[in-house]
C-alpha cells in the first residue's frame, strides 16, 4: 500500500502485485486467528458460538470505522493517500503478533517437517472423505456460489449522474458504514437470540430472508420508493443496513459449523482449507455476477436491464434451500466429527495422564474423610463454578 501511494505512475502490473501482497498478508493474519478459534472451539464446544460472535463483532466494528472515514479520506487526500494510510493497520497487526505469548519449543525436529506434512495431508484427506464433513462443505460452496454478486453494477448506478442516483463518495462511505452497523446488529442478534438454534433451521430462515431482502434493491432501481414517499438517500441506507445484517446472520452459523468440522491436531490448516472453499464459492458468485451483467449488457453507463439482474439474483438465492439436507440438523453445542478424528493419537497418552491427575485432584479436594457429605456437596459446587470461570476467562483472554 505504501508503494502504491508513493508512485504516481506505477505500472498496472506492479500495482496489482502490491494489492495481491496486501490481501495475502491480511489473509495470513485472518487464518492465524481463525486457527486459534477453531482449536479452542474443539476444546470448549460450549464457547464456540461465543468466540465466533466475538470475531464477528470486532470485524463489524473495524468495518464501521473504516467505512466511516474512507469517503472523507478519499475526498480530502485522494485515493493514493488513503491507500498509504493502510500501512497503519498493517503495523498494528505486526505489533499484535509481537504481543502474542507462545510456548517456545526447544530443539524442534525440523528434519521431521516433511513427515508431519505428509501425516497432516493424509488426515485432511481422511476428514474430507467423512460424510459429516464433505456434505456441509458442498452446501457452503453452492450457497456462496449461487449468491450472485452484482454489486459492481449497483455501485455504478449509485454514482452515475445521468441514469443513476448521483451519490458522491462521502455518501457511499456513509452508506457502507451503516451496512457495518447492520452487520454488527446481526452479530448481536445471533449471539443473544439465534446461537442455540439448529444449523439447518437457521440457514433456512437466513437464506430465505436474504432472497427477500434483495427485493429492496428492485424497489430502489424501479424508483418505487419515491411513490411511497421515501427519498433515495434514506431508502439506500436502509437497504444496505438490512442486507448486511441478514448476510451476517447467514454467515455466522457457517463459521461455527466450519469450526466444528476441524479434526484435532490440524485445526488451523483444516479451517484454512474450509475458508478457502468458502472463498472459492464467493469468487464463483462474483464471476457469475459479472457474466450476468455482461449478458444483460449492463455497463458503467447503461442500466436498462439492471432490474432483471436483481430478479435473477434473488431467484438464485433460493436454490441452495434444496440442498439443506446436507447440513446437520444439530445445534452448535453438539459434536459433529466422529470420535476417532477428535482424538490426537500422538498426545493420547499425555491426555490420559492429565485426566488421571485431574481425577486425583478432585478426589483429594472433594472427598476428604474428615468432611461430611454436605461439605463434599459444597466443594463439588465450587469446582463446577471454577470450571465455568475457566471458560469465561478463556473468552476474555481471546478478546
Amino acid at each position: 500500500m505504501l508503494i502504491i501511494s508513493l508512485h504516481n505512475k506505477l505500472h498496472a502490473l506492479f500495482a496489482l502485485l502490491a494489492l495481491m501482497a496486501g490481501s495475502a498478508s491480511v489473509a495470513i493474519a485472518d487464518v492465524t486467528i481463525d486457527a486459534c478459534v477453531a482449536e479452542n472451539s474443539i476444546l470448549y464446544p460450549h464457547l464456540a458460538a461465543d468466540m465466533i460472535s466475538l470475531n464477528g463483532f470486532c470485524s463489524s466494528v473495524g468495518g464501521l470505522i473504516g467505512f466511516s472515514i474512507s469517503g472523507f479520506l478519499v475526498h480530502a487526500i485522494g485515493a493514493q493517500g488513503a491507500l498509504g494510510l493502510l500501512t497503519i493497520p498493517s503495523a498494528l497487526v505486526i505489533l499484535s503478533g509481537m504481543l502474542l505469548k507462545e510456548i517456545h519449543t526447544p530443539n524442534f525436529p525440523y528434519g521431521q517437517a516433511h513427515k508431519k506434512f505428509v501425516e497432516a495431508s493424509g488426515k485432511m484427506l481422511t476428514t474430507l472423505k467423512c460424510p459429516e464433513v464433505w456434505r456441509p462443505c458442498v452446501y457452503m460452496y453452492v450457497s456462496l456460489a449461487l449468491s450472485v454478486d452484482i454489486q459492481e453494477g449497483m455501485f455504478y448506478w449509485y454514482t452515475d449522474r445521468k441514469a443513476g442516483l448521483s451519490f458522491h463518495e462521502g455518501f457511499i462511505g456513509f452508506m457502507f458504514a451503516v451496512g457495518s452497523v447492520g452487520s454488527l446488529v446481526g452479530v448481536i442478534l445471533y449471539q443473544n437470540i439465534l446461537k442455540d438454534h439448529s444449523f439447518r433451521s437457521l440457514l433456512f430462515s437466513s437464506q430465505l430472508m436474504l432472497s427477500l431482502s434483495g427485493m429492496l434493491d428492485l424497489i430502489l432501481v424501479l424508483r418505487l420508493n419515491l411513490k411511497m414517499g421515501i427519498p433515495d438517500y434514506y431508502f439506500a441506507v436502509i437497504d444496505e443496513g438490512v442486507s448486511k445484517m441478514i448476510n451476517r446472520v447467514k454467515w455466522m452459523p457457517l463459521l461455527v459449523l466450519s469450526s466444528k468440522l476441524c479434526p484435532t491436531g490440524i485445526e488451523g490448516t483444516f479451517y484454512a482449507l474450509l475458508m478457502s472453499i468458502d472463498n472459492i464459492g464467493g469468487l464463483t458468485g462474483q464471476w457469475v455476477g459479472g457474466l450476468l451483467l455482461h449478458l444483460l449488457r449492463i455497463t458503467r453507463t447503461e442500466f436498462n436491464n439492471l432490474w432483471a439482474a436483481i430478479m435473477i439474483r434473488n431467484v438464485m438465492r433460493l436454490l441452495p434451500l434444496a440442498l439443506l439436507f446436507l447440513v446437520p440438523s444439530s445445534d452448535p453445542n453438539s459434536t459433529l466429527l466422529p470420535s476417532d478424528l477428535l482424538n490426537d493419537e500422538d498426545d493420547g497418552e499425555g491426555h490420559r495422564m492429565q485426566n488421571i491427575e485431574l481425577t486425583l485432584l478432585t478426589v483429594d479436594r472433594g472427598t476428604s474423610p474428615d468432611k461430611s457429605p454436605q461439605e463434599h456437596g459444597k466443594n463439588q459446587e465450587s469446582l463446577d463454578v471454577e470450571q465455568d470461570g475457566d471458560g469465561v476467562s478463556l473468552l476474555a483472554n481471546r478478546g
Side-chain angles (χ1 to χ4, degrees):
M1 299 299 105
L2 186 61
I3 294 175
I4 296 176
S5 63
L6 294 178
H7 292 76
N8 294 326
K9 297 182 179 180
L10 187 64
H11 193 274
L13 177 61
F14 293 105
L16 181 61
L17 291 176
L19 290 173
M20 290 177 61
S23 299
S25 62
V26 173
I28 292 173
D30 187 33
V31 168
T32 303
I33 295 299
D34 290 340
C36 297
V37 174
E39 181 180 5
N40 289 324
S41 297
I42 294 176
L43 296 176
Y44 303 91
H46 60 288
L47 292 178
D50 297 325
M51 288 183 283
I52 297 295
S53 298
L54 180 61
N55 275 1
F57 178 84
C58 295
S59 176
S60 299
V61 171
L64 175 60
I65 297 174
F67 286 128
S68 299
I69 63 177
S70 61
F72 170 75
L73 291 177
V74 172
H75 181 74
I77 61 178
Q80 283 188 302
L83 289 174
L85 290 178
L86 290 179
T87 56
I88 297 177
S90 301
L92 293 177
V93 173
I94 296 175
L95 179 61
S96 63
M98 294 179 179
L99 296 178
L100 287 177
K101 295 182 180 180
E102 294 182 315
I103 300 176
H104 176 65
T105 305
N107 300 324
F108 183 80
Y110 291 98
Q112 299 181 4
H114 176 71
K115 180 181 177 181
K116 293 291 184 181
F117 175 78
V118 173
E119 292 177 355
S121 300
K123 191 170 185 179
M124 289 175 61
L125 183 61
T126 302
T127 305
L128 284 175
K129 291 180 180 179
C130 182
E132 290 85 353
V133 177
W134 68 261
R135 289 162 60 94
C137 289
V138 170
Y139 174 81
M140 287 188 286
Y141 171 79
V142 173
S143 174
L144 294 172
L146 293 180
S147 296
V148 178
D149 186 4
I150 58 172
Q151 190 60 35
E152 184 177 355
M154 293 295 298
F155 177 80
Y156 288 129
W157 183 71
Y158 285 148
T159 57
D160 190 81
R161 297 183 180 277
K162 295 181 179 180
L165 300 180
S166 188
F167 289 162
H168 56 82
E169 296 87 348
F171 182 77
I172 294 294
F174 171 75
M175 188 172 66
F176 288 160
V178 173
S180 297
V181 174
S183 178
L184 185 61
V185 172
V187 173
I188 295 174
L189 286 176
Y190 177 81
Q191 173 65 20
N192 295 306
I193 301 176
L194 304 174
K195 71 175 183 179
D196 292 327
H197 288 68
S198 65
F199 292 113
R200 189 176 298 178
S201 62
L202 186 54
L203 288 174
F204 174 82
S205 303
S206 60
Q207 194 72 38
L208 183 61
M209 292 297 296
L210 186 63
S211 177
L212 294 177
S213 66
M215 293 300 177
L216 295 176
D217 288 333
L218 185 63
I219 294 175
L220 185 61
V221 169
L222 295 179
R223 313 307 296 273
L224 298 178
N225 59 294
L226 297 179
K227 296 181 180 180
M228 294 184 292
I230 304 176
D232 293 331
Y233 288 93
Y234 294 114
F235 198 86
V237 168
I238 295 172
D239 181 12
E240 185 69 17
V242 172
S243 299
K244 288 297 186 291
M245 179 188 69
I246 297 176
N247 263 302
R248 177 61 71 174
V249 171
K250 174 197 171 184
W251 185 239
M252 293 296 291
L254 292 179
L255 291 177
V256 177
L257 179 60
S258 298
S259 68
K260 294 287 186 178
L261 300 179
C262 299
T264 304
I266 56 171
E267 298 91 345
T269 305
F270 198 81
Y271 195 87
L273 175 63
L274 295 179
M275 290 298 101
S276 65
I277 294 175
D278 292 345
N279 289 332
I280 293 174
L283 287 175
T284 304
Q286 293 178 4
W287 292 336
V288 174
L291 179 62
L292 179 62
L293 294 176
H294 176 73
L295 294 177
L296 295 177
R297 297 182 179 180
I298 300 172
T299 64
R300 294 188 177 187
T301 57
E302 183 65 33
F303 309 101
N304 291 332
N305 295 325
L306 186 58
W307 67 271
I310 295 174
M311 283 294 300
I312 295 174
R313 180 201 64 182
N314 294 342
V315 173
M316 292 184 68
R317 285 178 173 178
L318 293 174
L319 298 181
L321 295 177
L323 299 178
L324 267 178
F325 67 92
L326 297 175
V327 179
S329 58
S330 56
D331 58 73
N333 297 320
S334 59
T335 302
L336 302 180
L337 290 179
S339 58
D340 57 335
L341 294 177
L342 292 176
N343 295 328
D344 194 352
E345 296 179 359
D346 295 337
D347 297 335
E349 186 65 27
H351 288 313
R352 285 193 293 269
M353 292 299 298
Q354 290 179 3
N355 291 336
I356 292 174
E357 291 175 1
L358 288 175
T359 303
L360 293 176
L361 180 62
T362 304
V363 172
D364 291 339
R365 295 176 60 183
T367 59
S368 174
D370 298 333
K371 294 181 180 180
S372 62
Q374 292 80 2
E375 292 176 344
H376 171 65
K378 293 180 180 179
N379 288 332
Q380 186 63 36
E381 292 177 358
S382 65
L383 288 175
D384 295 337
V385 172
E386 288 176 5
Q387 291 175 356
D388 293 339
D390 291 339
V392 175
S393 63
L394 169 70
L395 184 58
N397 292 332
R398 292 288 298 121

